[in-house]
Amino acid sequence: MEKVSILGCGWTGKALYDEFTSTYEVNCMTKDIKENELQRFYDVDVLVIAIPPKDNYLDVLKKTLQKVNKNTYIILLSSISFYKNKTLVIEAENLVQSISPKYTILRLGGLMGYDRIAGKYTAGKTLPNNSATNYVHRDDVISIIKTLIQKKIVNEIFDVVAPIQSTQKEIFSLNADKFAFEKTYFLDDNVTNKTISSSYLIEKLNYTFKKQNVLNFW
């Protein structure tokens, strides 16, 4: 049985841990991990990095990567904010590529599904402009990680968003009606950004998204 460790037990990390317990020997590391559990955490076949890029992010990444075995397969949950030149995200990806001989980087779109409902957190607010969505359902993120491990796909970078996207105005309005919260308002209805594509991931992994259309996430 392969050994998998997950750095970060938040919304995605905990769901990944729950999914993996039946097929892998899995550990999930939080800040309060006990000292005597540390070696077991680092001596693994696969390490999934699922912590948000904030605070001492790069320092934690560097120390973790230096402690795991050299042949450990690293899967970094990065973000499409890479394309907005977010410094921490760019530096994290560079760090993984420079230290780890076996890695895959997943540039995730906005993580959605379950209690994360598009439009819920902007209900009643007015935003300056409408935007194209670049969302991915958590179920697909977990499924893609499983596929990467099974197929031993290494040294790749994938954009991860659902194949069929929408606009904030459309999906926020739909969810406001569906879940009975106030609508979000937009000063400008014109879409100001581009939709990311997962076509390379779909082709390389021969992957079919569980949640194809963001309008059907909930």
Side-chain angles (χ1 to χ4, degrees):
M1 183 179 285
E2 283 189 296
K3 298 177 181 178
V4 178
S5 281
I6 304 163
L7 179 61
C9 301
W11 194 70
T12 303
K14 179 61 168 60
L16 188 63
Y17 174 84
D18 292 341
E19 177 69 24
F20 275 18
T21 49
S22 60
T23 49
Y24 300 104
E25 184 180 323
V26 60
N27 297 294
C28 200
M29 184 175 182
T30 60
K31 290 181 179 179
D32 59 354
I33 191 168
K34 296 179 177 62
E35 195 68 35
N36 61 359
E37 295 176 355
L38 285 175
Q39 191 52 46
R40 185 179 66 172
F41 181 84
Y42 295 121
D43 186 17
V44 292
D45 302 294
V46 181
L47 171 65
V48 181
I49 299 172
I51 54 175
K54 60 183 181 181
D55 301 329
N56 58 341
Y57 180 60
L58 291 177
D59 188 46
V60 171
L61 276 192
K62 189 172 184 178
K63 287 178 179 176
T64 303
L65 293 172
Q66 288 172 340
K67 288 176 182 177
V68 295
N69 297 331
K70 283 296 180 185
N71 61 345
T72 297
Y73 176 32
I74 307 297
I75 299 176
L76 174 67
L77 302 191
S78 185
S79 167
I80 57 170
S81 62
F82 176 93
Y83 298 114
K84 295 181 179 178
N85 294 317
K86 187 169 182 179
T87 304
L88 264 182
V89 172
I90 294 170
E91 290 181 2
E93 290 193 11
N94 291 339
L95 186 64
V96 168
Q97 292 176 83
S98 65
I99 294 179
S100 306
K102 292 184 353 186
Y103 67 86
T104 291
I105 294 170
L106 297 179
R107 291 177 181 156
L108 306 181
L111 276 162
M112 292 288 174
Y114 301 103
D115 58 327
R116 284 197 182 181
I117 303 169
K120 178 180 177 181
Y121 306 105
T122 54
K125 296 181 180 179
T126 300
L127 302 183
N129 50 261
N130 190 14
S131 296
T133 60
N134 278 298
Y135 296 154
V136 61
H137 198 283
R138 187 179 69 183
D139 288 355
D140 277 302
V141 174
I142 292 170
S143 182
I144 288 165
I145 293 170
K146 289 176 71 174
T147 304
L148 289 173
I149 296 171
Q150 290 164 359
K151 296 192 174 184
K152 311 296 183 189
I153 304 292
V154 298
N155 300 345
E156 292 281 3
I157 300 175
F158 297 109
D159 294 330
V160 187
V161 296
I164 303 171
Q165 295 291 326
S166 179
T167 65
Q168 286 184 336
K169 184 173 183 179
E170 181 181 26
I171 198 167
F172 288 8
S173 177
L174 184 76
N175 285 344
D177 291 339
K178 186 173 183 178
F179 295 101
F181 53 71
E182 192 175 348
K183 292 185 184 297
T184 302
Y185 305 96
F186 298 88
L187 294 177
D188 186 349
D189 289 344
N190 293 318
V191 174
T192 58
N193 64 320
K194 294 181 179 179
T195 301
I196 303 292
S197 171
S198 286
S199 57
Y200 180 59
L201 178 143
I202 292 168
E203 178 185 353
K204 186 76 177 180
L205 272 62
N206 191 26
Y207 182 76
T208 301
F209 275 78
K210 296 174 180 290
K211 304 287 187 178
Q212 296 267 336
N213 189 332
V214 296
L215 296 178
N216 301 324
F217 274 15
W218 299 273

